[in-house]
């Protein structure tokens, strides 16, 4: 049971709880306490120091909107955003209940009456915007992975193909999302025409921009990982007369998984960073739009609310990286390898 729990903690990235598990199961208390202090105490100490420096530095900086918010003001606005979310959900529930009551009265008078429930069109809360951003970055990252991994595998196996696409990679890799966005916006507006679209144009524009900016690390790392495979493995596949697809599935992908996931982690981080800028300009109702709206609002609480968004972006980015790391550990054939 202990080994399974430790494996789960390693898989999910919560390695700082492992000393607690070992301590509670009778392992060397002194050694486990030292490990616990190193894995938990040191990061907590760094966070406390950061908060103190932030508190002292914020008090000395005055902007046109007032003093730069410290940790206390940011926490207060966090609670305000949470309260706003629940208040909006209560209004939505009341809106639905009013319609249900009216429909019940209509059906009571006329059982054949045509009744509908109109969707609630109130403002999106901060948590709704987080979910929108997550959905957007997931779609963009998924599209980038579907394109980059196959091309990277084929390019890694063929020096000729890699030489052909490498100039294109080097040209488009450093292009900013701010440069891609106007082009993507015009293309989406021209091609994505529908009276009842499945997704909003702002969502599609943001997702494609994320895709264009995040596919390059995965493509490059996949190609490098595949080209670095021990040639003996490829020769064994030839001796066994494995076909091309079987060789890729049985030999190439397992041997290059570490590099593929390294590219995926970098791509996801870039995609999450790019998304905020894309949402600001495309006005996709996510965290980027929240930051832009608060900046335009210019109220005394705007800076604090923007800081809440900044910390949320960082925390969500960290969680996304941990999730990708967990998948890497799960799919890796070498379970004892150290993955950072």
């Amino acid at each position: 049971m202990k080994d399974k729990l430790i494996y789960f903690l390693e898989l999910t990235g919560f390695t700082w709880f492992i000393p607690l598990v070992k301590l509670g199961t009778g392992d060397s208390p002194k050694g486990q306490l030292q490990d616990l202090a190193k894995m938990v105490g040191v990061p907590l100490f760094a966070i406390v120091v950061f908060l103190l420096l932030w508190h002292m530095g914020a008090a000395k900086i005055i902007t046109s909107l007032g003093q730069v918010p410290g940790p206390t003001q940011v926490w207060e606005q966090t609670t305000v955003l949470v309260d706003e979310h629940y208040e909006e959900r209560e209004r939505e529930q009341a809106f639905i209940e009013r319609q249900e009551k009216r429909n019940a009265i209509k059906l009571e008078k006329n059982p054949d009456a045509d009744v509908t429930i109109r969707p609630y069109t109130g403002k999106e809360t901060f948590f709704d915007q987080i979910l929108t951003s997550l959905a957007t970055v997931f779609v963009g990252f998924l599209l980038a992975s579907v394109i980059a991994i196959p091309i990277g595998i084929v390019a890694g196996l063929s020096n000729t193909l890699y030489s052909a696409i490498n100039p294109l990679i080097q040209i488009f890799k450093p292009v900013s999302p701010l440069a891609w966005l106007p082009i993507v916006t015009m293309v989406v507006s021209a091609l994505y025409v529908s009276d009842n679209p499945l997704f909003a144009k702002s969502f599609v524009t943001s997702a494609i921009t994320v895709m264009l900016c995040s596919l390059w690390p995965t493509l490059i790392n996949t190609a490098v990982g595949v080209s670095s495979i021990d040639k003996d493995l490829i020769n064994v596949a030839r001796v066994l007369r494995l076909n091309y697809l079987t060789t890729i599935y049985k030999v190439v992908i397992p041997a290059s998984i570490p590099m593929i996931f390294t590219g995926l982690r970098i791509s996801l981080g870039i995609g999450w960073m790019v998304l905020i800028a894309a949402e600001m300009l495309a006005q996709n109702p996510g965290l980027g739009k929240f930051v832009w709206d608060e900046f335009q609002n210019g109220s005394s609480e705007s800076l604090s609310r923007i800081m809440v968004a900044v910390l949320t972006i960082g925390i969500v980015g960290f969680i996304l990286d941990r999730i990708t790391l967990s998948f890497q550990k799960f799919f890796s054939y070498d379970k004892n390898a150290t993955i950072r």
Side-chain angles (χ1 to χ4, degrees), residues 72-88:
T72 304
Q73 292 82 3
V74 171
W75 176 252
E76 289 174 354
Q77 287 305 312
T78 302
T79 59
V80 170
L81 289 169
V82 172
D83 292 338
E84 288 178 355
H85 173 76
Y86 284 111
E87 290 171 1
E88 192 65 23

Side-chain angles (χ1 to χ4, degrees), residues 111-125:
D112 298 326
D114 184 18
V115 295
T116 57
I117 298 291
R118 291 186 293 114
Y120 183 68
T121 56
K123 69 175 183 178
E124 292 191 329
T125 67

Side-chain angles (χ1 to χ4, degrees), residues 153-338:
I153 291 174
V154 176
L157 292 172
S158 171
N159 291 330
T160 302
L161 180 60
Y162 183 78
S163 299
I165 66 172
N166 185 55
L168 298 176
I169 294 173
Q170 302 307 322
I171 289 172
F172 291 116
K173 179 167 62 73
V175 176
S176 166
L178 301 181
W180 279 119
L181 197 60
I183 299 172
V184 174
T185 301
M186 289 187 290
V187 172
V188 170
S189 298
L191 299 180
Y192 191 64
V193 180
S194 174
D195 295 331
N196 187 24
L198 182 61
F199 301 105
K201 285 186 178 181
S202 59
F203 177 87
V204 176
T205 300
S206 299
I208 294 177
T209 303
V210 169
M211 178 198 74
L212 289 172
C213 294
S214 64
L215 63 86
W216 310 112
T218 299
L219 198 161
I220 293 171
N221 278 270
T222 301
V224 171
V226 171
S227 63
S228 302
I229 295 175
D230 190 343
K231 300 305 179 184
D232 290 340
L233 295 175
I234 303 297
N235 292 333
V236 168
R238 291 173 179 169
V239 170
L240 295 175
R241 297 183 179 180
L242 300 180
N243 61 44
Y244 189 77
L245 292 179
T246 304
T247 301
I248 290 175
Y249 178 70
K250 294 289 187 179
V251 178
V252 174
I253 293 179
S256 56
I257 273 182
M259 287 297 292
I260 292 175
F261 270 95
T262 299
L264 289 173
R265 290 176 66 189
I266 297 172
S267 290
L268 186 57
I270 290 175
W272 183 243
M273 178 177 62
V274 163
L275 173 69
I276 306 305
E279 287 182 334
M280 281 186 180
L281 298 181
Q283 290 296 286
N284 187 44
L287 285 171
K289 186 175 185 299
F290 174 85
V291 172
W292 182 254
D293 289 344
E294 289 298 331
F295 175 72
Q296 294 294 319
N297 183 25
S299 68
S300 57
E301 294 84 16
S302 291
L303 281 179
S304 298
R305 294 165 77 92
I306 291 174
M307 281 302 302
V308 174
V310 169
L311 293 175
T312 301
I313 291 166
I315 292 170
V316 172
F318 171 76
I319 294 172
L320 292 175
D321 183 74
R322 293 295 94 182
I323 292 173
T324 310
L325 183 62
S326 299
F327 277 109
Q328 180 176 353
K329 290 180 178 179
F330 179 79
F331 287 107
S332 177
Y333 285 80
D334 186 2
K335 303 299 182 184
N336 296 321
T338 301

Side-chain angles (χ1 to χ4, degrees), residues 27-70:
D27 286 4
S28 172
K30 183 178 179 180
Q32 298 311 316
L33 286 174
Q34 289 176 346
D35 290 342
L36 185 63
K38 185 184 298 183
M39 300 181 69
V40 179
V42 173
L44 285 178
F45 176 75
I47 291 174
V48 170
V49 171
F50 167 74
L51 291 175
L52 288 174
L53 293 174
W54 177 12
H55 175 75
M56 292 186 295
K60 298 179 180 180
I61 303 176
I62 306 298
T63 71
S64 58
L65 298 179
Q67 178 183 309
V68 170

